[in-house]
Amino acid sequence: MGAGGYRRFGDRSRWQGSPWCQERRRFARPWKRCSVGASLGGRESNEIPYFSKLLDGIKDLTGVVVTADALHTQRKHADYLHDRCASYVLTVKGNQPGLHRQCADLPWKRVRNGHKTLETANGRDIERTVKCVSIAAGMNFPHAAQAAQITRKSRPLGTRKWFTETVYIVTSLAPSQGKPSEIGAWIRGHSTIENGLHYRRDVTWREDHSQVRNGEAPRVMASLRNIAIMILRLQGETNLAKAARAARNYPDRALKLAGITIS
């Protein structure tokens, strides 16, 4: 089992199985993103039981916004965060069919677009639209104050056919605390950090070429790579490939980064 650290104002990469904390003290800007930690269960376990165990390692969650994968859109997680004076922004998918149906059945056609962005990235035109609606009553999920519909349309450059994806969000943030632009940014931030971590593990640490494949060893190695990324990010490194080479060439520096001293 691995355990991750937390520092209030730090941007760090995600460890396996960790929710994201996106700092927003008293709902005042600016806010920062960070990850919480990692825990490896047995072969038959999943991430759900470790949600509160990881967050228990943070003494004060007041004013913190937590985002997590759809797997963690669980009622007990919502109650846990509420009891600790934190807020949540959670994705709703098929693992919660009743809640997903409730979100999909909301009168979205009568709701104005709250925020819209257009960009060109990775050879595609991308249009994102966020709509939010208050759900103070009637939503079967603890402490939910708003639901959001995020519609993502994309098409390859030079083509005319759009591909559309719709995602539903549930949040404990009131409209004055979580505006459509902010909710969209939180969800994109969650995806950006996670995708960026996978890219670094695959490219810088060549994870796909690893010959470690037996038993729990691949999961352990994945956590060790995540720990290395987090340590370098905490040191303010922006070029992780260069920093990793420096740590490899000077092992004493690598040990010092990990807080290990040899007399």
Side-chain angles (χ1 to χ4, degrees):
M1 177 180 293
Y6 174 90
R7 190 170 64 185
R8 185 64 60 187
F9 298 104
D11 183 6
R12 55 180 69 78
S13 300
R14 178 181 186 261
W15 295 16
Q16 183 172 349
S18 66
W20 302 112
C21 286
Q22 305 199 34
E23 176 71 15
R24 196 180 181 195
R25 281 286 172 191
R26 299 185 183 87
F27 306 104
R29 299 175 183 83
W31 47 267
K32 300 285 186 180
R33 303 187 191 100
C34 69
S35 71
V36 178
S39 181
L40 293 179
R43 195 179 290 269
E44 301 300 326
S45 67
N46 59 47
E47 295 180 7
I48 294 175
Y50 299 98
F51 182 91
S52 58
K53 292 180 182 179
L54 290 171
L55 290 172
D56 283 341
I58 305 174
K59 292 183 179 180
D60 183 11
L61 281 178
T62 304
V64 171
V65 175
V66 176
T67 64
D69 296 335
L71 178 68
H72 293 294
T73 304
Q74 306 287 335
R75 287 163 175 77
K76 60 182 179 181
H77 293 345
D79 285 330
Y80 171 87
L81 294 172
H82 177 78
D83 291 342
R84 296 201 58 189
C85 300
S87 302
Y88 61 77
V89 177
L90 301 173
T91 303
V92 181
K93 291 186 177 180
N95 61 312
Q96 293 283 353
L99 181 61
H100 186 273
R101 191 180 311 111
Q102 281 188 296
C103 290
D105 288 345
L106 290 171
W108 295 111
K109 291 183 178 180
R110 301 203 301 268
V111 179
R112 294 182 179 180
N113 292 340
H115 184 67
K116 186 174 183 178
T117 60
L118 296 169
E119 67 172 338
T120 299
N122 301 318
R124 306 180 74 85
D125 292 322
I126 302 172
E127 175 186 297
R128 293 182 180 87
T129 304
V130 183
K131 295 181 177 182
C132 292
V133 61
S134 298
I135 49 171
M139 183 63 68
N140 186 24
F141 197 76
H143 319 294
Q146 289 190 93
Q149 181 194 67
I150 300 179
T151 303
R152 179 181 182 272
K153 297 172 62 178
S154 65
R155 65 183 179 186
L157 293 177
T159 65
R160 302 178 66 179
K161 183 178 180 180
W162 290 92
F163 298 88
T164 303
E165 176 188 17
T166 301
V167 175
Y168 296 105
I169 307 297
V170 64
T171 177
S172 59
L173 293 168
S176 61
Q177 299 168 335
K179 298 178 181 179
S181 59
E182 294 172 312
I183 291 175
W186 274 313
I187 294 301
R188 288 196 64 190
H190 184 97
S191 300
T192 298
I193 298 174
E194 186 171 8
N195 293 339
L197 174 61
H198 291 314
Y199 176 84
R200 293 184 182 99
R201 280 174 24 188
D202 290 343
V203 176
T204 304
W205 274 267
R206 297 176 61 82
E207 184 173 65
D208 288 345
H209 297 277
S210 174
Q211 298 300 306
V212 179
R213 297 174 181 170
N214 294 328
E216 299 296 331
R219 299 178 67 195
V220 172
M221 291 301 299
S223 287
L224 290 175
R225 294 183 188 101
N226 291 349
I227 292 170
I229 292 171
M230 188 195 74
I231 289 174
L232 294 175
R233 291 292 298 275
L234 286 175
Q235 294 298 317
E237 299 288 352
T238 55
N239 188 330
L240 295 189
K242 181 179 179 180
R245 289 193 296 270
R248 177 197 64 196
N249 296 335
Y250 300 95
D252 58 320
R253 296 183 185 177
L255 292 174
K256 189 178 295 184
L257 287 173
I260 300 173
T261 56
I262 299 177
S263 56

